[in-house]
């Protein structure tokens, strides 16, 4: 299936990857772990910053593992215990060590730019300050840093990094939990799974994200209105479909529908039928995505208002 890099397609990608990853009202379910949909959306919308943090963690692991003896002698911290909060007590010495090991033309700096490009970070700028911050994180270790194959290929160009990303690959859940002041034990695993999938999604969509083209309005003639009550895949108020002819599904679990009488629902159903028909009649993927995003945003706002 082809995907475009946007929030709606990321939700679809996760659901295609595992049907247990789904939206139900204002909740995103990662298996049995509920995440507020606003948090899920925020993670995606701020993904450039979060993925940049990931690149700096990759760089931090690369420079320390490839200079293990030097680092352990200078900082008295074992590389296998990194990142480590105790380094906050040695920030000055840490930055001096990093400045020595990371000149502009160093292999780790070049690798970082390659990884950033692979992950779609167009405006990435390498920063020793950020690498130092990455090394001071207190949490799971670099053995548990997720490595998509494309990132692993770049890391393999740096010597002695075989110990990075060999375990549970759940390290970044803690980092995201800390970013949003979320209780780690409750959500870290779910956040790690979502983030790892986000990296894969960015790689999959690399080079495909384009500016949306202007919509073309195509209004075919429709004689019958086929409106079905059911559950929509993404939690929207309505969702278009096609089986020999156009139809829509009205989400029976949406609070707006639950609170309407049959008489009140008829004009709404007719209006949404033609909205769905309009969505179905768009030819380009860009146009479809723009209408889909409108449908999801309106549905969410109405859910909040009527819940």
């Amino acid at each position: 299936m082809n995907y475009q890099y946007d929030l709606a397609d990321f939700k679809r990608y996760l659901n295609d990857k595992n049907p247990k990853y789904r939206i139900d009202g204002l909740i995103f379910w990662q298996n049995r772990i509920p995440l507020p949909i606003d948090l899920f959306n925020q993670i995606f919308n701020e993904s450039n910053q979060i993925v940049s943090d990931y690149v700096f963690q990759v760089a931090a692991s690369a420079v320390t593992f490839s200079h293990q003896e030097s680092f352990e002698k200078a900082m008295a911290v074992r590389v296998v215990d990194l990142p480590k909060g105790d380094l906050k007590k040695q920030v000055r010495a840490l930055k001096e060590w990093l400045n020595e090991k990371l000149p502009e033309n160093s292999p780790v700096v070049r690798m970082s730019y390659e990884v950033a490009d692979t992950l779609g970070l167009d405006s990435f700028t390498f920063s020793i300050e950020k690498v130092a911050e990455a090394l001071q994180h207190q949490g799971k270790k670099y053995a548990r840093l997720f490595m998509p194959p494309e990132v692993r290929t770049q890391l393999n160009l740096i010597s002695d990094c075989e110990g990075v990303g060999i375990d549970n690959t759940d390290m970044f859940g803690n980092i995201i939990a800390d970013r949003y002041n979320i209780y780690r034990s409750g959500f870290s695993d779910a956040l790690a799974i979502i983030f790892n999938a986000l990296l894969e999604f960015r790689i999959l969509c690399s080079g495909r994200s384009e500016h949306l083209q202007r919509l073309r309005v195509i209004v075919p003639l429709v004689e019958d209105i086929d409106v079905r009550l059911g559950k929509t895949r993404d939690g929207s108020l309505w969702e278009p479909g096609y089986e020999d002819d156009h139809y829509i599904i009205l989400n029976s679990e949406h609070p707006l529908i639950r609170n309407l009488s049959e008489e009140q629902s008829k004009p709404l159903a007719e209006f949404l039928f033609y909205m769905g028909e309009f969505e179905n009649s768009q030819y380009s993927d860009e146009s479809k995505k723009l209408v889909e995003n409108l449908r999801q945003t309106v549905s969410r706002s109405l859910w909040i208002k009527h819940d």
Side-chain angles (χ1 to χ4, degrees):
M1 179 181 289
N2 290 328
Y3 299 98
Q4 181 173 306
Y5 188 75
D6 60 23
L7 179 58
D9 261 16
F10 181 49
K11 293 173 182 176
R12 182 179 295 112
Y13 172 78
L14 284 170
N15 187 252
D16 291 341
K17 190 179 179 72
N18 187 336
K20 293 182 179 179
Y21 303 162
R22 68 195 190 281
I23 296 170
D24 188 1
L26 299 180
I27 298 296
F28 176 85
W29 288 92
Q30 190 279 313
N31 288 332
R32 297 181 179 180
I33 302 175
L35 291 175
I37 192 64
D38 284 348
L39 172 62
F40 179 91
N41 293 348
Q42 187 176 7
I43 290 170
F44 183 87
N45 292 333
E46 297 178 358
S47 61
N48 277 356
Q49 299 97 302
I50 299 171
V51 174
S52 292
D53 290 343
Y54 170 80
V55 176
F56 288 120
Q57 291 290 358
V58 173
S61 68
V63 68
T64 51
F65 274 72
S66 62
H67 297 90
Q68 179 175 352
E69 184 177 350
S70 171
F71 181 85
E72 292 180 349
K73 182 178 180 180
M75 307 306 301
V77 174
R78 295 195 310 160
V79 164
V80 293
D81 292 333
L82 294 174
K84 194 171 182 67
D86 288 351
L87 288 172
K88 293 177 181 178
K89 304 172 185 176
Q90 308 179 65
V91 172
R92 183 173 180 178
L94 176 61
K95 290 180 181 178
E96 289 176 356
W97 186 87
L98 289 171
N99 274 300
E100 178 186 338
K101 301 301 181 185
L102 292 173
E104 288 186 6
N105 62 344
S106 77
V108 172
V109 173
R110 294 198 301 270
M111 177 214 65
S112 300
Y113 278 104
E114 289 295 331
V115 171
D117 184 63
T118 298
L119 295 173
L121 295 173
D122 296 333
S123 58
F124 177 81
T125 301
F126 189 83
S127 164
I128 287 178
E129 186 83 22
K130 291 290 187 181
V131 176
E133 289 178 11
L135 285 165
Q136 296 168 57
H137 174 74
Q138 182 62 41
K140 295 174 181 177
K141 308 309 175 187
Y142 287 132
R144 301 171 77 158
L145 182 62
F146 178 59
M147 286 279 133
E150 296 82 357
V151 176
R152 171 66 70 186
T153 297
Q154 296 298 328
L155 185 64
N156 285 344
L157 300 176
I158 310 299
S159 63
D160 301 320
C161 291
E162 296 81 5
V164 179
I166 59 174
D167 205 347
N168 289 339
T169 69
D170 58 353
M171 171 186 163
F172 233 76
N174 281 357
I175 293 176
I176 297 175
D178 290 352
R179 177 185 179 90
Y180 294 107
N181 295 315
I182 299 169
Y183 182 54
R184 284 184 176 184
S185 297
F187 296 102
S188 179
D189 289 347
L191 293 172
I193 289 170
I194 291 169
F195 177 74
N196 294 351
L198 176 61
L199 293 182
E200 294 172 338
F201 184 65
R202 289 180 74 106
I203 293 170
L204 179 65
C205 295
S206 180
R208 296 188 186 180
S209 181
E210 300 175 354
H211 294 294
L212 295 178
Q213 299 174 356
R214 183 175 297 178
L215 281 171
R216 290 194 301 157
V217 180
I218 308 164
V219 185
L221 294 176
V222 176
E223 295 179 2
D224 298 321
I225 292 180
D226 184 356
V227 178
R228 310 174 186 183
L229 279 177
K231 188 173 181 179
T232 54
R233 290 176 298 173
D234 59 3
S236 292
L237 172 60
W238 77 100
E239 183 176 65
Y242 196 92
E243 291 176 0
D244 297 325
D245 204 349
H246 164 67
Y247 69 90
I248 65 164
I249 297 174
L250 280 184
N251 187 356
S252 57
E253 298 185 1
H254 195 287
L256 177 62
I257 297 299
R258 293 200 308 262
N259 296 333
L260 286 181
S261 67
E262 182 178 351
E263 193 64 30
Q264 291 172 320
S265 65
K266 287 181 179 179
L268 174 65
E270 184 175 10
F271 171 74
L272 294 179
F273 175 85
Y274 287 105
M275 287 289 292
E277 180 187 65
F278 173 75
E279 182 174 343
N280 265 346
S281 66
Q282 300 307 308
Y283 289 138
S284 71
D285 289 340
E286 292 84 358
S287 297
K288 285 181 180 293
K289 293 309 305 174
L290 184 57
V291 181
E292 185 180 60
N293 287 337
L294 180 148
R295 169 166 55 83
Q296 292 180 347
T297 300
V298 169
S299 297
R300 177 183 171 279
S301 297
L302 288 170
W303 188 298
I304 292 171
K305 180 178 180 180
H306 293 277
D307 192 18

